[in-house]
Amino acid sequence: MDFDFQRVRKGIALFASLVCASALSGCILVQDTSRMNIEVFQDEVAPVWYEPARVQPAPVQPVPQRRELYQTQFHQTYGLPVSNPMHRIMYGELRDEDRTLPALPLTRIDSSLLRQEVAYQTAEKPGTIVVDTKARYLYLVQPDGKAMRYGVGLGRDGFAWSGRGIIQWKQKWPRWTPSGEMVERQPNLRPFGAEQGGLEAGLNNPLGARALYIFQDGKDTLYRVHGTPDWQSVGKSTSSGCVRMFNQDVIDLYDRVGDKAPIVVI
């Protein structure tokens, strides 16, 4: 069989021509396969591509807490907080001498009972204590038509006292001595009677952190302005007649009230 050298030469020439053409125009004819490489692809789109196997996990973020500062559209628009942030400081945990008063649960307390300076028009002189039994507020009269206002708890009907007197003396962390009449009504108080020296001062003492003793015409009325460990009783009428305050408030009042300050209970 005759071998067709002519045809072979033509085939070789054609193949060589194709090789040369590919070499000269490789940028057009040769496909860029790098973009089929998943490693290259991920690196190029890194800003929007998250692959746990290739990206270090982000630090653990705290769970967002729901805040009560802006509850209404009005507050959101004008940036007015619903509650006063200072209350957390005023009614937070308080170290007083060798005792620590616990913080008050502000979310469970009517904010109107919390201490604040208010406009208050009265004929009483600055430094006078005025107890409004109907509104359940105690006012310490200030100059220029102002007063410090505190929420208070008062005595039940038939046990309340009213009138004008003076704060004869004040005491830090007082002992509590129930009156003879109170002991007769509640025999379980006999261990704390005057004969036994009363109940020692402390966080559970009914007089709380401070007591201001009300005298009238030189005699002890047996009524007091005092603190209380029972914060839930403030704003209510549950006691035997005394004026009860949050412990943090009675400490503040104690520091503001001068000697022999007048008091009016209306």
Side-chain angles (χ1 to χ4, degrees):
M1 181 177 62
D2 297 333
F3 187 78
D4 191 346
F5 288 100
Q6 188 67 24
R7 182 177 295 178
V8 171
R9 284 197 295 270
K10 289 181 178 180
I12 293 173
L14 179 60
F15 177 78
S17 298
L18 291 173
V19 170
C20 291
S22 297
L24 293 174
S25 59
C27 59
I28 299 176
L29 300 178
V30 178
Q31 183 179 5
D32 181 7
T33 59
S34 67
R35 294 188 178 275
M36 302 301 292
N37 186 323
I38 190 64
E39 300 292 331
V40 174
F41 176 74
Q42 288 183 350
D43 289 339
E44 290 182 350
V45 299
V48 295
W49 177 263
Y50 175 72
E51 173 59 44
R54 289 172 45 79
V55 180
Q56 293 296 323
V60 177
Q61 300 295 322
V63 177
Q65 300 295 317
R66 182 173 181 270
R67 300 186 181 277
E68 303 294 341
L69 290 179
Y70 307 104
Q71 293 178 330
T72 68
Q73 185 61 47
F74 176 83
H75 290 100
Q76 291 174 9
T77 302
Y78 295 99
L80 298 177
V82 174
S83 60
N84 184 347
M86 285 299 295
H87 287 160
R88 295 185 180 180
I89 299 175
M90 295 162 58
Y91 295 99
E93 183 177 276
L94 177 63
R95 182 68 178 177
D96 185 65
E97 297 184 347
D98 60 342
R99 300 176 178 87
T100 300
L101 291 167
L104 295 183
L106 295 177
T107 58
R108 301 173 59 187
I109 296 174
D110 184 346
S111 61
S112 68
L113 297 173
L114 302 179
R115 181 195 333 155
Q116 58 183 297
E117 186 177 60
V118 298
Y120 188 68
Q121 298 299 323
T122 178
E124 303 295 340
K125 296 179 179 180
T128 301
I129 296 173
V130 179
V131 180
D132 186 335
T133 58
K134 184 176 181 180
R136 297 190 177 92
Y137 289 133
L138 181 150
Y139 297 90
L140 178 61
V141 180
Q142 304 289 295
D144 303 321
K146 301 288 186 179
M148 289 300 300
R149 190 184 76 183
Y150 309 82
V152 296
L154 298 166
R156 300 187 303 273
D157 291 342
F159 291 90
W161 177 85
S162 62
R164 183 178 292 269
I166 64 169
I167 303 299
Q168 184 69 26
W169 59 296
K170 308 181 298 181
Q171 189 173 353
K172 295 182 177 180
W173 293 103
R175 296 180 69 89
W176 176 62
T177 305
S179 66
E181 293 180 356
M182 186 178 293
V183 171
E184 290 181 5
R185 293 195 307 269
Q186 304 177 56
N188 60 310
L189 298 179
R190 195 171 303 281
F192 311 122
E195 298 82 2
Q196 306 300 325
L199 178 64
E200 65 181 7
L203 296 177
N204 294 322
N205 189 296
L207 292 182
R210 302 286 190 274
L212 287 67
Y213 295 79
I214 303 174
F215 278 59
Q216 187 179 53
D217 299 327
K219 297 180 180 180
D220 189 354
T221 64
L222 302 181
Y223 292 98
R224 322 287 187 227
V225 176
H226 62 85
T228 177
D230 183 15
W231 58 266
Q232 297 181 81
S233 67
V234 174
K236 301 175 183 177
S237 298
T238 58
S239 75
S240 294
C242 293
V243 180
R244 301 180 316 284
M245 306 176 67
F246 297 125
N247 274 322
Q248 284 85 342
D249 279 350
V250 79
I251 290 174
D252 182 82
L253 178 67
Y254 181 99
D255 292 337
R256 294 175 185 269
V257 169
D259 294 336
K260 304 298 190 294
I263 181 170
V264 182
V265 180
I266 56 176

